[in-house]
Amino acid sequence: MSENQSYVARRFQLHGLAGISDRTLEMHFKLYEGYVRETNRLEAEIAEILEDGRIDQDEMPAYSELKRRLGFEYNGMVLHEHYFDNLRRHAGGDPPRDGAFTRAAEASFDSYAAWKTDFVGVGKMRGVGWAICYADPVSGRLTNHWVTLHEVGNVAGFVPILVMDVWEHAFLLDYAPAERPKYIEAFFSNIDWRTVEGRLPGGR
Ligand SMILES: [Fe+2]
């Protein structure tokens, strides 16, 4: 991979959120930057193996390990960008009642409340990972999914609409491990629904 194809860590103007401290965000940005660095590093190492145009048998174990780790780091980078992007300061809580997200939730579930119950339920699942609301790009239907680590459970080709980090690092400086529901409540009070609606198929 040439230098100019490397990923550059984005800067997020995110601070002063409700219930998620600046200290948590600063630490989280650093973690995110680590995923960007590792993605670039793994891609460079893989490119090195490919340089002579083939993968020798003795290179296969290392190549396989790099490729497996690439799935973890790559998704870690992309999901954190979605997560930070769907948060904002002075957000308003629930989405606008007549907005595109509410309409999509009502078309896919019985109501926005039913969608939220499911999404929050996914967020409370034990384990380390993400709660993600995806849209089916063909039908526009919303479904909520649990993603283990960063890469297990993503639905191929589906569009991430709302992304919530529920790794403990996302809230441990602010809440006890057993207080994940409080963090989820805080997350909801900071959602940037305009960004979320812009991600809906045909939303922009
Ligand atoms: Fe995270």
Side-chain angles (χ1 to χ4, degrees):
M1 187 180 61
S2 70
E3 271 300 297
N4 60 8
Q5 285 178 311
S6 300
Y7 287 98
V8 177
R10 289 177 47 199
R11 298 255 168 224
F12 298 91
Q13 298 304 318
L14 207 53
H15 55 89
L17 297 183
I20 299 173
S21 68
D22 288 355
R23 228 176 115 223
T24 292
L25 289 171
E26 289 304 323
M27 180 274 305
H28 215 162
F29 296 148
K30 290 267 175 299
L31 274 177
Y32 154 70
E33 286 163 18
Y35 287 110
V36 178
R37 263 198 314 277
E38 280 301 296
T39 299
N40 287 332
R41 198 176 65 76
L42 290 170
E43 289 214 313
E45 284 186 29
I46 289 164
E48 221 167 278
I49 291 177
L50 294 174
E51 213 166 42
D52 61 1
R54 59 172 200 269
I55 304 159
D56 297 327
Q57 203 48 42
D58 64 341
E59 289 175 319
M60 201 40 142
Y63 174 80
S64 306
E65 179 57 19
L66 291 169
K67 279 289 185 187
R68 287 198 184 97
R69 282 168 54 197
L70 187 62
F72 175 81
E73 303 290 349
Y74 221 125
N75 280 290
M77 172 177 75
V78 171
L79 288 180
H80 277 103
E81 290 176 353
H82 279 85
Y83 171 73
F84 295 134
D85 275 340
N86 62 212
L87 293 171
R88 69 176 284 243
R89 200 177 180 188
H90 303 314
D94 286 333
R97 275 194 199 183
D98 55 350
F101 185 85
T102 304
R103 286 201 307 274
E106 286 170 351
S108 311
F109 292 74
D110 283 343
S111 60
Y112 168 76
W115 167 83
K116 186 174 177 179
T117 300
D118 185 51
F119 185 85
V120 170
V122 173
K124 289 178 179 170
M125 283 169 58
R126 290 173 67 78
V128 179
W130 299 79
I132 303 180
C133 172
Y134 286 98
D136 178 332
V138 175
S139 67
R141 181 168 173 256
L142 302 182
T143 46
N144 300 317
H145 298 261
W146 169 259
V147 169
T148 302
L149 300 175
H150 305 305
E151 76 276 36
V152 183
N154 289 290
V155 188
F158 274 30
V159 183
I161 304 298
L162 179 66
V163 174
M164 178 168 70
D165 193 339
V166 287
W167 281 59
E168 285 176 347
H169 66 239
F171 63 88
L172 257 196
L173 296 178
D174 302 325
Y175 303 98
E179 291 180 320
R180 197 194 284 189
K182 283 192 186 171
Y183 157 72
I184 293 174
E185 218 173 286
F187 171 84
F188 263 84
S189 68
N190 296 296
I191 294 173
D192 183 347
W193 288 107
R194 272 191 68 179
T195 294
V196 171
E197 293 190 337
R199 291 171 180 165
L200 289 167
R204 213 162 255 174

